[in-house]
Amino acid sequence: MNYNINITAGINKRMHSELPKTILLVEDEVMLALTEQKILESFGYNVITASSGEKAVKIFFDADNDFDLVLMDINLGSGMDGTETARIILEKTDIPVVFLSGYTDQETIARTGEITAYGYIVKNTGTIVLNESIKMAFRLYAAKKQLENNARCPVYTAANSSESGGATIHQHKSTENPAGRISAFIPCRPRFAPGLADLEKTTGDKDEIIAAIGNNISGMLYRLVRFPDGRRKFIWVSNQVESYYGIKPSEACKNAFLIYGKVHPGDRERLQNEEEEANRTLSVFKTETRMLTSDGKIRWSRFISVPHARADGSTVWDGLETDITEYKQMQEKIQNILSEKEILLKEVHHRMKNNMLTLYSLLNLHMNRISHPEAKSALQEAGSRLQSMQVLYEKLFISDTFNEISFASYINSLLKEITAVFPGSEKIRLILKIRDFTAGSRLLFPLGIILNEIISNAFKYALTGKQGELTVSASKNNGRIKIVIKDNGPGMPEISMETPGFGLLLVKMLSAQINAVIGFCNRGGTEFSISIPQGRV
């Protein structure tokens, strides 16, 4: 019995239709999402946004939505991150996912390694890079689906389908299929590998089909036989071989070296080893390699091929070669941009640190010229807050990541800056009980100001001009940060957080920003506790 199967030259109707493609944009920063949506819409895409991983999953599987690509941020706040969200989506459907992130560190990028992603775009690398990366993802996905179709339903013509188990192929056009999709009647039984002569013979009957496929695929399709002694012979090659190698398909079929001889000398051994492994295990062969053009220039190609064993020990390879020179050049450009960004980031940190020093010096100059106690105290407090940020910039400047630093190192430096401001601070015994951990700058900026306010208050009101102790303890357990600042002074009156002074108002506002819980008690002195939940660490 024969079954009528329509084999399209693309992945599905949407991939080949002229309807605008729809992108699901997953971004937790509302302003960034709005900007990125406008950029994508200017390129002709329909864009639907989701502000969290949970919302993205719900929107994606909504029956009314039909997406062509997912553009995914990695850091999505306290809920599911981008990699987990992508994994859930890909478990149930096959769709190209491209990560769009501001992170360039190895750890973050490595998190995407287990996801079948079609690109990693660094934010702010430019609208052209964004658009070209998305178009490249669509092309790679289309090539992947075509190769899967070829591997799943290999089609060849036989003179007598009932005797050979072959398939009768014809091309037709209809109102639903104006481009002339290829239709085939193929038997519902396992594929068999015909002899070499049959392969050559049936290939000769399919010139029109090969040309049609070649015109719809941005790559070179081929069928290759690899013999046990290592010799190779192309059974057929699409017309794209002329563009890639400057030869005709018939020439490639006569002499495989006209293609294999173009492999860059530096890649030949690796390519040979990878091909041997795929041939031995009959696994899908995927590789990227440099090829030499006729004028000696280098171009990059990606090969994807599926080997099948034959009874005589040889293997038949159905494959696709795609030119990825533009993609590689884009990668190199992005890498150069990242290097320039790193240099620029160092310069920005350096200038910010210098600007803060200048501001601090101006405050000190102004403070030394006035005599009013309240005004002098206000300027001193402003300078102290500025110092907490300056210390953080200094630590970020000398760190490797520009993002996370040691909390113990930061609190040590911050305490030195605070104690230097208060006369008689040398009489105060500082006790640090820190179980060190790292924290990001987005957390430490507000946390540093909170610590500065609490510790400065201790020096001003509890430990003025006398012997005393200030204990700072900090730890991180199960993702939660706990910090306690305790002095052995006379204690403070009951604090109202409803009508606080400016310093405590800052503490209240910044605590809300990082979801911290502030506790206060008088117990042998004044004790403040700060608890920061998992989502902000």
Side-chain angles (χ1 to χ4, degrees), residues 104-116:
T104 59
D105 59 286
Q106 186 60 39
E107 181 181 354
T108 302
I109 296 173
R111 284 160 55 193
T112 68
E114 297 178 358
I115 309 295
T116 305

Side-chain angles (χ1 to χ4, degrees), residues 141-156:
Y141 184 68
K144 168 181 172 282
K145 299 305 290 184
Q146 179 62 49
L147 185 60
E148 288 177 353
N149 286 340
N150 290 345
R152 190 180 304 115
C153 301
V155 179
Y156 46 85

Side-chain angles (χ1 to χ4, degrees), residues 94 115-118 140-141 143-145 147-148 151 222 270-279 281-289 300-307 317-322 324:
D94 184 16
I115 309 295
T116 305
Y118 286 76
L140 291 175
Y141 184 68
K144 168 181 172 282
K145 299 305 290 184
L147 185 60
E148 288 177 353
Y222 61 86
R270 175 185 59 81
L271 187 67
Q272 175 74 18
N273 292 337
E274 291 176 356
E275 188 181 281
E276 290 284 354
E277 178 64 16
N279 191 67
T281 59
L282 295 180
S283 57
V284 176
F285 174 71
K286 296 181 182 180
T287 193
E288 295 177 359
T289 187
W300 279 89
S301 278
R302 175 181 285 121
F303 289 89
I304 304 177
S305 191
V306 182
W317 298 60
D318 294 318
L320 170 70
E321 177 186 352
T322 309
I324 58 169

